[in-house]
Amino acid sequence: MSQKKLGRVPSRPLVSIVMPTLNQGRFIKQSIESVLTQDYSELELVVADGGSSDNTHGLLTDMSTADPRLRWSSQRDTGPAEALNRALRGVQGTIVGWLNSDDLYTPGAIQSAVNAFAAQPDWIMTYGHGEHVDEEGTVLAPYPTLRPDGPIERFSNGCFICQPTVFFQRSMYLLLGALDNNLKASFDFDYWLRAFRAFQDRIGFIDAVQAQSRLHDACITKTARRTVALEGVRVVARHMGTAPTHWFVTYIEELLHQAPPEGDGHIEEQLRTALDEVKDCFEPNDLRALQEQLRYILPNDGNR
């Protein structure tokens, strides 16, 4: 299912890129430029702002005036999933890409996606390799990506799709429906699982680096570790029946190494409260093992 260096094809469909944003004025200009400077010009960029209070609006005004392919709106929302759904409802293209306002497309990424869909008309979604970059754009490491031709159970070990590398037919959104607004961090992970369950034999792969995912102090991955961990557990259990314990063990290890502790209260209270919230997602034996692990590592546990 891989697709390597496809030649150009005559079809020139409109590609819609959706971009949720909130107070990303530091990065959004570069993200937008990575879209508008692509060698594929038949595109629109739809930015859904959640009510930014930094310089985002000024940048969007200037850039949309300079290039009418960019259009944007701003209104308060409950999070990125709601912003994305708002943007997706307004797209006009037949192919959709989703780029966060701190991430970057690599040169030629959109053309590669268009070529891939033209060469494989049965594909409804495709993704490729991604890279983690830092605040300055320096490559940190490749994203741990797996190809789609394997069992869906591999998602139990973690999300192997780098979100900004994904392009999908607009029909996929119409068939799957909206992203889950109740999820604040793992809505993309949930959406890929939904896509794999519905269309696994129609998901393709572009064997090239398609995008760069930026890691910085204000990104969701770093600022909402509790939400990321617990939602990951719930999403896996939702689709697989139960979740492996490593999702919670990783959170334990991160929290124990964190200083100061995340949020208010003691680490013991945070961990026990978190485990109580997702205890129904684990097999009974796995849950007992986690509870025993907490009793062992937390010295203030009165039940020891």
Side-chain angles (χ1 to χ4, degrees):
M1 300 178 84
S2 66
Q3 197 72 26
K4 232 184 223 187
K5 293 184 179 179
L6 293 168
R8 289 184 179 272
V9 291
S11 178
R12 304 289 290 181
L14 179 66
V15 177
S16 298
I17 309 300
V18 292
M19 179 180 290
T21 190
L22 179 64
N23 293 326
Q24 290 290 347
R26 180 180 177 187
F27 301 113
I28 192 171
K29 184 174 185 291
Q30 190 176 5
S31 297
I32 290 173
E33 288 174 343
S34 80
V35 177
L36 299 181
T37 60
Q38 290 280 311
D39 58 358
Y40 189 87
S41 59
E42 285 78 5
L43 62 87
E44 63 171 0
L45 173 57
V46 183
V47 178
D49 177 71
S52 292
S53 58
D54 62 358
N55 62 332
T56 295
H57 290 181
L59 288 169
L60 290 172
T61 298
D62 292 344
M63 298 185 81
S64 60
T65 300
D67 193 330
R69 293 177 300 171
L70 166 61
R71 52 191 174 91
W72 64 282
S73 63
S74 181
Q75 66 183 64
R76 297 286 182 181
D77 54 49
T78 59
E82 184 178 352
L84 282 161
N85 285 325
R86 175 159 50 95
L88 286 164
R89 287 193 296 269
V91 300
Q92 300 174 14
T94 56
I95 297 173
V96 179
W98 158 12
L99 188 73
N100 289 329
S101 57
D102 50 0
D103 295 338
L104 303 165
Y105 279 141
T106 56
I110 294 178
Q111 182 70 66
S112 293
V114 171
N115 292 351
F117 284 121
Q120 302 287 344
D122 60 319
W123 285 2
I124 200 167
M125 170 179 152
T126 187
Y127 64 98
H129 295 289
E131 296 174 332
H132 284 307
V133 298
D134 65 13
E135 297 183 16
E136 306 304 322
T138 301
V139 176
L140 300 173
Y143 188 94
T145 302
L146 298 176
R147 296 170 183 267
D149 45 357
I152 193 173
E153 287 75 18
R154 295 178 301 165
F155 278 110
S156 293
N157 295 321
C159 183
F160 52 81
I161 297 176
C162 184
Q163 173 264 306
T165 73
V166 172
F167 289 85
F168 52 87
Q169 301 282 0
R170 184 180 173 192
S171 58
M172 189 181 90
Y173 176 74
L174 298 175
L175 291 168
L176 287 183
L179 286 84
D180 188 345
N181 286 338
N182 295 316
L183 296 172
K184 306 307 175 187
S186 298
F187 44 88
D188 55 342
F189 184 34
D190 174 68
Y191 211 62
W192 311 150
L193 275 160
R194 287 163 62 184
F196 265 69
R197 286 216 167 275
F199 312 111
Q200 185 165 9
D201 60 344
R202 299 182 61 193
I203 296 175
F205 187 77
I206 297 174
D207 195 7
V209 177
Q210 287 284 89
Q212 295 177 321
S213 177
R214 197 187 302 268
L215 296 179
H216 57 92
D217 289 341
C219 68
I220 289 177
T221 303
K222 289 193 175 183
T223 60
R225 282 303 304 143
R226 185 181 193 277
T227 301
V228 171
L230 300 194
E231 283 191 357
V233 169
R234 294 190 189 100
V235 167
V236 171
R238 174 189 295 181
H239 292 279
M240 307 296 179
T242 59
T245 59
H246 74 77
W247 288 87
F248 197 83
V249 170
T250 299
Y251 177 60
I252 292 174
E253 294 170 346
E254 291 177 353
L255 194 56
L256 290 176
H257 285 88
Q258 183 177 309
E262 180 180 291
D264 296 327
H266 298 293
I267 289 179
E268 302 95 273
E269 296 170 0
Q270 293 179 52
L271 287 174
R272 292 194 187 94
T273 300
L275 182 56
D276 190 61
E277 289 183 23
V278 294
K279 62 184 180 182
D280 293 339
C281 297
F282 301 114
E283 293 280 2
N285 289 340
D286 290 341
L287 176 61
R288 283 192 289 272
L290 277 176
Q291 291 168 333
E292 285 298 320
Q293 186 172 0
L294 287 184
R295 291 191 185 98
Y296 178 77
I297 65 177
L298 299 178
N300 293 330
D301 190 339
N303 294 324
R304 284 188 67 189

